[in-house]
Structure formats: C-alpha cells, structure tokens
Amino acid sequence: MKKLINRVEAVVDEATEGMGLAHPDLVRVNREPRFVARADAPVQGKVALISGGGSGHEPLHGGYVGRGMLDAACPGEVFTSPVPDQMVEAAKAVHGGAGVLFIVKNYTGDVMNFELAAELLQAEGIEVRSVLVADDVAVENSLYTAGRRGVGGTVFVEKIAGAAAEAGASLDEVERIARKVSENSRSMGMALTSCTVPAKGSPTFELAEDEMEIGIGIHGEPGRERMKLRSADEITEMLAGPVIEDLGLKAGEQVIAMVNGMGGTPLMELYIVYRKLAGILQQRGIQVARNLVGNYITSLEMQGCSITLLRADEELIRLWDAPVHTPALRWGV
Amino acid sequence: MKKLINRVEAVVDEATEGMGLAHPDLVRVNREPRFVARADAPVQGKVALISGGGSGHEPLHGGYVGRGMLDAACPGEVFTSPVPDQMVEAAKAVHGGAGVLFIVKNYTGDVMNFELAAELLQAEGIEVRSVLVADDVAVENSLYTAGRRGVGGTVFVEKIAGAAAEAGASLDEVERIARKVSENSRSMGMALTSCTVPAKGSPTFELAEDEMEIGIGIHGEPGRERMKLRSADEITEMLAGPVIEDLGLKAGEQVIAMVNGMGGTPLMELYIVYRKLAGILQQRGIQVARNLVGNYITSLEMQGCSITLLRADEELIRLWDAPVHTPALRWGV
Amino acid sequence: MVGAGEVRAFIRRFAELIAEHKDELTALDAAIGDADHGTNMDRGLQAALERLPGEGATPADLLKAVAMALISKVGGASGPLYGTAFLRAAAAAGSKTTLEPADVAALFRAALAGIQERGKATTGEKTMVDAFAPAVEALEGKLGQGAGLGEALQAALEAARKGSDSTIPLVATKGRASYLGERARGHRDPGSLSTVLLFQAAAETLGGAGGATAGA
Amino acid sequence: MVGAGEVRAFIRRFAELIAEHKDELTALDAAIGDADHGTNMDRGLQAALERLPGEGATPADLLKAVAMALISKVGGASGPLYGTAFLRAAAAAGSKTTLEPADVAALFRAALAGIQERGKATTGEKTMVDAFAPAVEALEGKLGQGAGLGEALQAALEAARKGSDSTIPLVATKGRASYLGERARGHRDPGSLSTVLLFQAAAETLGGAGGATAGA
Ligand SMILES: Nc1ncnc2c1ncn2[C@@H]1O[C@H](COP(=O)(O)OP(=O)(O)O)[C@@H](O)[C@H]1O
Ligand SMILES: Nc1ncnc2c1ncn2[C@@H]1O[C@H](COP(=O)(O)OP(=O)(O)O)[C@@H](O)[C@H]1O
Ligand SMILES: [Mg+2]
Ligand SMILES: [Mg+2]
Ligand SMILES: [Mg+2]
Ligand SMILES: [Mg+2]
C-alpha cells in the first residue's frame, strides 16, 4: 500500500485536522466526536443541514461545509458510516433553532446510524428530518436490493438545499427542495482500477490490464459488470444512456451535469468524457444549464468516473447559482 | 494502459475541446493551432498574459485562463512543449495593444519554443516579454543543469501577475510582479507511483511497492533520489525543509503555501501533508497567509505531491486576493 | 447457571474471536461489500472491552456497555445491528444477577428481534440473520427437548454455522452485497460469520462445564 | 553530386529511420527524460513528408520545408534544435540546384552551428551535439584528405555513432537529463541517437553509388 499517511488508524483524524488548518475561515473541526462545522455556526434562525458518511470520498462531505451549503459534516472511518454520537453532537453544535435536515446517502449503515441519531435528538427536543439520496441507476430498485445507492446526486442536494437554507427557507421548504433534487438526480459510475482501504492495505478487487467495472458505487465495491476496456466515448455512452433513460429526460429539458472523477483520474480524461456527454445531450435536445467537471465525490485513489444528471428548472438553477463558499465549492463570493 | 481516452493522438485535442464545452462563458478554444483564450479577449488596453507547456499538467495552464489570470494558454502534446505557431496565433488573438507577457516554465524545450515565438511576434511589431519560472529546489543550479525546473510556482505567477494585469498595470509593472513572484517561489515534489504517457503506453519508470522518488519534476521524470517509503510526516519534512532553506525564510515572514497533488493522490492525503506543513511552518514562526490544497499542477495520474512556498508581502497578498474567475480557480466572483 | 462472570467471559471471548478473524471477515467483505467488516467489529469490541464496568456489574450492565460501545464506535451496518442486539439482550436480562437457561434463550431471542427490527431482513436475504435466526431456534428447540444449556448452545453454534454456509449460494437483497446482483453468489456473507463467532463465544463461555476455553 | 532528388531521398530515409526507431528513442528518453523523443521526432518528420514541395524544388526548398515542419509540429527541445539545423542548412544551400561535396559539408557545419546557437551546448554535455559535432568534423576531415563524399559520410556516421556511445557514461548538464545528476550515467542520450540516424540517412542517400538503400 502506497499512501501519504502516517498511521492507518489516524488517517481520518489527521486529514480532517489538516482541512481545518487549511480553512480556518470556513470550518471548525471537532475531534471527539469527529465533525466539521461551519466556522460561524450556529446561524440563528437558519435550518441546519448536516450530512456525513464514510471517509474516502473527499471533498464530500467536509469540503462542502460553509456558507450556502452544509452546516456540519460527520466523517466516519474510511468507507464506514459515522456513528450516531457524531451526528448528535454536530446537530447540537450547529442547529440554529429552525430544525435540522439530515442528508443521508442510502446505504444500510448510513441509514441506521442517522436513524439512531435522529431518535436521540428528537428525544432532546431538536426537530430532525432526513432526506435520502438514492440516485445510482446501476442498482436495481429496492425490491431486490437495499435500494439505490446515494452517489453523485448528493453533491447537488447539498448545494441546492444549502442555498435554500441560507436564503432563510423553513424546514418544510428546505426538505421539499432537497427531495426534489434527490428525486430528479441520477448517476452511474465506472472504474478502471480498484482502490485500497488503508485498514485493509491491499486493493479491494483486482482488474486485469484490459478490464473495467461498470456500475460501481463509491466504496470500491465491485460493480454490476466486468467487461473489456472500451474507449472514453463508448464508456460515456454506457454511463449516460441509463441515466438519461431512468430520468426520462425529453428534448427541451434542462439539466445540471456532473462528470466526476473517482480520485485518481486526471482532469484531462474527465474533460474527454465531458466532451462526449455534451455531444450526447445536444443530440437529444437536452440543454446543459450548468456543469461540474472534476473530483467531487471520490473513492480514495480509484481511477474512473461517474456521470450525474439533475433535471433542472428555474427554481433549481437559481439556487444552484446562489453564492457558495466552502473549501471545495465556491462562487459568487 | 488504462485511460479514459479515445485515440492516443486525439487526447489533447479532445480534452481541450471538452474544457471549452464545459466553460463557454470563460474560455474559447482555437483548434489550429491549438490554444485556449479568454472568452472576452482581446481586452483592450490590458497586458495579455500567455503561458503554455506540455499537456498532462491539468488544470495548468488552460484551467487558469479567464478574468484575473491568463489571457491564453497553449497546450502542447502530453509533456511536450507547445510549438511557436501556437504562441504566435494566441498572442495575435488576445493582445490588447498593451504588450504581451509570456510566462514560461524553465525547460529547454519550452524556453526555445517561446523564444522562437517571441522573435516572430517582435518581427510583427507586437511587444513581448518573457518571465521564466524556475522554482524546483530539487534541481541544482544552472552551472550543472539546464537550470531549475518551473513547477508549482507557475500557479502563483499566473494568479498574481494576472491580477496585476487585470488591474490595468503596465507591461513593465506586470513583468516586475511576475519576476518578484517567480524569484520568491520554491517547490519540491515526490512520487509514490509513476505515470503513463498515452503515446508511450507504459509507465515512465517503475517503483517497487515500498519505494518512492524524491525530487521529481512534473513530467514523470525520475527524481533525484529513490528511497524507501516513509510516513507522510517524514515526507513533508523532506520536501518542506529544502524549500524553506532555499528561500531563506525567517521567523515573522509570511508565505502563500500550496500542497499540490500530482493527479492521482486523494485529497485526504494532501490534507494530511498540509497538516504537517502547517505544523512545521508554525514551529519556525512563519505565518501562512493563504493556502491552496489540491490538484493544481499535475503529472497525469501520478500519485505524489509537491509543496510550494511563496514569500509574500502585502502587495502579493492583495493581488492574490483579487477576484479570479477561471475554470480551475475562482474567488471574489 | 450464568452470572456476570460468565457474561464477562463471553464478551471477552467474542472480542478475542473477532480479533483473530478480523482479516478473514474483512476479506469476505472485500469480495461482496466494502472491505471493513473485520475492522469495524474489532474496533467496536476493543472499545467495549475498555468500557466494561468492573465488579458489581450485572449481566445487563455488561451487555449494555457492549451495546453502547458498538453503537458509538463501529459505524457501518454492523454497528447499529449488533448494538441494538446487545441493547435488547440487556433489556431482557433486566436486573437479574444470574440467568437460567431459559433466560439465556430469551436474551438471544430479544437480540435477534432487535436485529430484525433495525435491519428489516428475514432469512434468505444473505445477512447475519441467516445465521442468527436458526441459531436461536436451535437453542430454544434443544432446551425445549430438555437438553442442558451447554448442549443447547453447541446446537445453536452448529445451526449458526450451517446458516452461515447457506448464505454462500444466495443472491443478497439486503446490505451492500445486494448491489452486486448475481455476482454475490458463491461468497459467504461476512456478517453471518461474525454471528457464528458470537455463538462460538457463547458456547465456550455460557454453557457451564462444557465451556472449556472460557475467556482469559 | 547531390541534387534535389538525393536531398529528397535523404529526408525520406531520415523519416523512415526515425519511424523505425521511434520506440527505442522514446524508451531512451523514458530513462533520463520524459519519454517523448521518438514520438516528437516522428510526428515532425511525418509532417515534413506531407509538406515536401514537389517537382522543381531546390535542395534549400526541401530543407526549409523540413525545418518549418519540425518547428511547427515537434515542440519540445528537439523541435527548435533540429528545426534550426535544417533552417541553417537551407540557408547554406542557397539557390544551388546541385551541391558539391564541400557544399554538403558546409551545410552540415551550418546545421551544427544552428543547434549550438539555439541550445548553447558544447560537446560533453550529453546532448545531440556529442554526436553531431564529431560527425561534422569527420566529414570535413575526410573530404580534406581527398576522400569521396560517400566515404566521408560513412566516416561521419561512424563518428556520430562513437559520439553517441560517448554520451552513455556522462552526467548531463543540458536538457532534461541534467535534472538527474549522477543518475543519468549509464544511459545513452536519446537526441544523440536521432543524430546518428540523421547521418545514417545521409550516408545512405547523399554518398553517390555507395548509398545503396536510398529511400523508397
Ligand atoms: N438490513 C440488514 N439486516 C441484517 N444484517 C445486515 C443488513 N445489512 C447488512 N447486514 C449485515 O452487515 C454486514 C456488513 O457489515 P459491515 O461491513 O460492518 O457494514 P457496512 O456494510 O456498512 O460496511 C453484512 O455482511 C450483513 O451480514
Ligand atoms: N541545450 C541543448 N542543446 C542540444 N541538444 C539538446 C539540448 N537540450 C536537449 N537537447 C537534446 O534534445 C533531446 C531531447 O529531445 P526531446 O525529448 O524531443 O525534447 P524534450 O526534452 O523537450 O522532451 C535530448 O536527448 C538532447 O539530445
Ligand atoms: Mg462500510
Ligand atoms: Mg518533452
Ligand atoms: Mg462493510
Ligand atoms: Mg523528451
């Protein structure tokens, strides 16, 4: 295992501490239990947005804490959901009296730990709602599975619901927006290489030099299918097709599009994928209102990419354009 | 070779095209010869900043084209400097009558190609100056070498000289600022893994599972020394030490600091390095005025990092804070 | 009869077995999950050992300490699941200082109910429930037939083992492995193996004289 | 005597040899540079072939077309260096339609001067100059001793080969290899090999009857 780390057990603590040192104007890091909070939290009268999940997906979620996005993020161990204590203490630290919204990626562990936290907080009189993100079209529906995984759509939910909360929307309203974004987002990802969880020390799966995995999640899980390596254009078609179909996108509609790197993919390659995606969407008469190309929700050093599309309307685009100032996403400020 | 590409020969063209499609509000891509120009170029009366170099270092340079930074970037083939035609046509397209400043990373090929371009442009009556960036302390001085390589300091020169140009400074003044930044920047880098140039198809060098290269450049060249893998803290000391020494930084001075990923390094690991760097600087009484942690000047999918420090004063910090709006760097807008 | 000492030995032995099988659990999770089940369980049980209350603690106190450690240290799916299991077991133990065989059975039954409420899985979904449910049934069945606790726990362990084996050919419909569809076939569910270790610890420590290797 | 036909054959043969040795040149560059010398030279010479002017072109026209192709297609250090070399050779050829042996020597001398002005390297710095300079000296020396052009070019080729070999033990003080310090020892300079190929092409195509394998 080759990583820029000190001790395996300290990886998440030290990385979180480093982020706090790099962005003292934006975030404050709490160590025990571990959470990252907005430097100016609690913002009185504002709905507090809290997310979290396993680490190894950076900049998600800690990089999205700040004005116009999250009030707190709870980083678990690598690829392991956080524990209820983290969400409970984070919520107590950042809630501004207008309620708390949990943004939870749909994984059994995340769901159960956030559920426990919500139960504990409700018992203390803090109002908590939860919105699940479950946008991965590589997973069949919940009749046969634990339900679709939450992947790239999470970035959109955090940005857009964050803008609504920043603008002073009520808990009901922020929840409505978050659900709207979640329901209108779809993603699909692929891997050229596996990744190595520090505590395990060896790659989670092995791929031959001419193979790739299609339909992966963000935890180094093998995907739905292993196949021979294809060209970037073919891969983009394989990812974009199911996303567009599943969203039922029609000519004339608008989207916010993300081409996301899994952590070890050069930006150059992501732009090659974006080039093809733009072509596919244009051909179908779908307009890209806004886009992101880069590493936004990763799997450690995995090479690969994912495509996320959000069906957008004027409301969502307006909230998308609202100022955001976090370690990883910044505009209008 | 596992990459998200179509044809090896088309990699740079397609990636550049993809960047143009993703950021039509910021940049315009010219295909023959290849350059990326500010969407609103030429800006009349403004000194035009032009840089360029081999591709594979994304977001450098194309990602730094836009308001407050570069007017044009000339991407060569992967790790190969651009040809004079590119700089000549880019300069003609973006110069606003106030002269052109070339920002050139100090490599034999880059220097000679920019030199040829400058000769050709002068012959056409366009005033061109050049500033070399040569900040890599891993390289001995020019008595024994082609001179230090231009690496991370380039990002600082482009940002700060770009801010000066945007504010309407004269060619003399922009050149002075660029030189000041260049002379006060130092970098050092290391690699955990090699990278694969698409046209070659196999890794440039081989590193055993327990080895690393210290003192690498940004072209997959082997570094000055191969050694056993160390902890992130030890590596950070090995990189930061020579940088601080060579700059002659004293207690009480201020720096702008960058922990840069080589393309395949998870952000988590860069924050672990930043954590240690912050500690080292604090211990020496050196204040970090501003910082960047992320992928800013890369070597394809190489895993590793570099540290760059710029001795900063009020003038440089003011220009650093000035608004910038490019695909890869944005604030204040 | 089972007192606080046996319960403490059971917890120690479970932690020991998890530590011994940590890499195996993680490797199973690497095949059809996310390569952390061994690390997760080990982190939680080491924390539990540190927090175990001292002399005078009742079985319920001990079980509750494990529950809280698992909930606050594991994360992932297994933390809330095993955490809830130990919490319910503690509730079932109530204020008793010694547990009759029937009490022990009731305690495991409550634990299973907790896992199923929290995780909503039934048998055949390729989860820990596939080992836990048959083990509890075997335990109750044997005791019902008049067997001693040692023998009944041995039967529970064997049932857990069989149940764990039964996960191998299954497609998963709960947990991470469900994302793999057909590709999950041929792999043992990691949580079913940690459940086997739980029953192995029980058989070795709670079964009276039969529990030869009871904790350090 | 050397006319436009021979110069054209020389250019074709140089391009052919570079294409054949493309991977070898790149592999040498991978060891002490950045793994692109073969790709660079091949891209430039293929472009040169496409742009070669047709019937009626003088040697200078042909050499200038190569120069412009190399300058506008190669990039890297070798583009301006070889580009300048061909540009100076074209200038030396002037408007002549046929070149005497002494003209050919002057042309290579001018090319070398161009490389050294542009790159500021002298011999012993582990660059193409280490092959180019002795080759030009051997060419001039042999012609001075009254040898024919074919024999003199053969001597130039051998000198280039020796010169290229001489780069192997050197530490570099110019170009990318200079960054490596002592680690550059034991590796041949890639540019010195492309220069050998240049002189091989010359020996095969410009030497009169001796040039057996003159281009397709
Ligand atoms: N809904 C569920 N009900 C019961 N057990 C489950 C459920 N989901 C997952 N599990 C169990 O949890 C185990 C995985 O635990 P672990 O790897 O620690 O958590 P995670 O899947 O979050 O990484 C699985 O092997 C399975 O036995
Ligand atoms: N200053 C110089 N003078 C002469 N030749 C040089 C000089 N610098 C580099 N070279 C030659 O250029 C060759 C490398 O060319 P190439 O790999 O195409 O360019 P780059 O180094 O820019 O990637 C070296 O092997 C060396 O022979
Ligand atoms: Mg997990
Ligand atoms: Mg090069
Ligand atoms: Mg797991
Ligand atoms: Mg080279």
Side-chain angles (χ1 to χ4, degrees), chain B residues 79, chain D residues 29 33-37 40 176:
Chain B
F79 292 171
Chain D
D29 200 26
D34 61 350
D36 63 3
H37 187 55
N40 287 347
R176 277 177 205 290

CSV table of all heavy atoms in Angstrom, one decimal, chain B residues 79, chain D residues 29 33-37 40 176, ligand 6:
chain,number,residue,atom,x,y,z
B,79,PHE,N,3.3,16.3,-22.2
B,79,PHE,CA,4.7,16.5,-21.7
B,79,PHE,C,5.7,17.1,-22.7
B,79,PHE,O,6.9,16.9,-22.6
B,79,PHE,CB,5.3,15.2,-21.1
B,79,PHE,CG,4.6,14.8,-19.8
B,79,PHE,CD1,4.9,13.5,-19.3
B,79,PHE,CD2,3.7,15.6,-19.2
B,79,PHE,CE1,4.3,13.1,-18.1
B,79,PHE,CE2,3.1,15.2,-18.0
B,79,PHE,CZ,3.4,13.9,-17.5
D,29,ASP,N,14.5,8.1,-23.9
D,29,ASP,CA,14.0,9.3,-23.2
D,29,ASP,C,13.3,9.0,-21.9
D,29,ASP,O,13.3,9.8,-21.0
D,29,ASP,CB,13.1,10.1,-24.2
D,29,ASP,CG,13.0,11.6,-23.9
D,29,ASP,OD1,13.9,12.1,-23.2
D,29,ASP,OD2,12.0,12.2,-24.2
D,33,GLY,N,14.7,11.2,-19.5
D,33,GLY,CA,14.0,12.4,-19.9
D,33,GLY,C,12.5,12.2,-19.6
D,33,GLY,O,12.1,11.8,-18.5
D,34,ASP,N,11.7,12.5,-20.6
D,34,ASP,CA,10.2,12.4,-20.4
D,34,ASP,C,9.5,11.6,-21.4
D,34,ASP,O,8.3,11.8,-21.7
D,34,ASP,CB,9.7,13.8,-20.3
D,34,ASP,CG,9.9,14.6,-21.6
D,34,ASP,OD1,10.6,14.0,-22.5
D,34,ASP,OD2,9.3,15.6,-21.8
D,35,ALA,N,10.2,10.6,-22.0
D,35,ALA,CA,9.5,9.6,-22.8
D,35,ALA,C,8.8,10.1,-24.0
D,35,ALA,O,7.7,9.7,-24.3
D,35,ALA,CB,8.5,8.8,-21.9
D,36,ASP,N,9.3,11.1,-24.7
D,36,ASP,CA,8.6,11.5,-25.9
D,36,ASP,C,9.5,11.8,-27.1
D,36,ASP,O,9.0,12.2,-28.1
D,36,ASP,CB,7.8,12.8,-25.6
D,36,ASP,CG,8.7,14.0,-25.2
D,36,ASP,OD1,9.9,13.9,-25.2
D,36,ASP,OD2,8.1,15.0,-24.9
D,37,HIS,N,10.8,11.5,-27.0
D,37,HIS,CA,11.7,11.9,-28.1
D,37,HIS,C,11.3,11.2,-29.4
D,37,HIS,O,11.3,11.9,-30.5
D,37,HIS,CB,13.2,11.7,-27.8
D,37,HIS,CG,14.1,12.2,-28.8
D,37,HIS,ND1,14.1,13.6,-29.2
D,37,HIS,CD2,15.1,11.7,-29.5
D,37,HIS,CE1,15.0,13.8,-30.1
D,37,HIS,NE2,15.6,12.6,-30.4
D,40,ASN,N,8.0,12.6,-30.7
D,40,ASN,CA,8.2,14.0,-31.2
D,40,ASN,C,8.8,14.0,-32.6
D,40,ASN,O,8.3,14.7,-33.5
D,40,ASN,CB,9.2,14.8,-30.2
D,40,ASN,CG,8.6,15.1,-28.9
D,40,ASN,OD1,7.4,15.0,-28.7
D,40,ASN,ND2,9.4,15.5,-28.0
D,176,ARG,N,16.8,17.9,-20.2
D,176,ARG,CA,16.1,17.3,-19.0
D,176,ARG,C,17.0,16.3,-18.2
D,176,ARG,O,16.8,16.2,-17.0
D,176,ARG,CB,14.9,16.4,-19.5
D,176,ARG,CG,13.7,17.1,-19.8
D,176,ARG,CD,12.6,16.2,-20.3
D,176,ARG,NE,11.7,17.1,-21.1
D,176,ARG,CZ,10.9,17.9,-20.5
D,176,ARG,NH1,10.9,18.0,-19.2
D,176,ARG,NH2,10.1,18.7,-21.2
E,6,MG,MG,11.7,14.3,-24.2
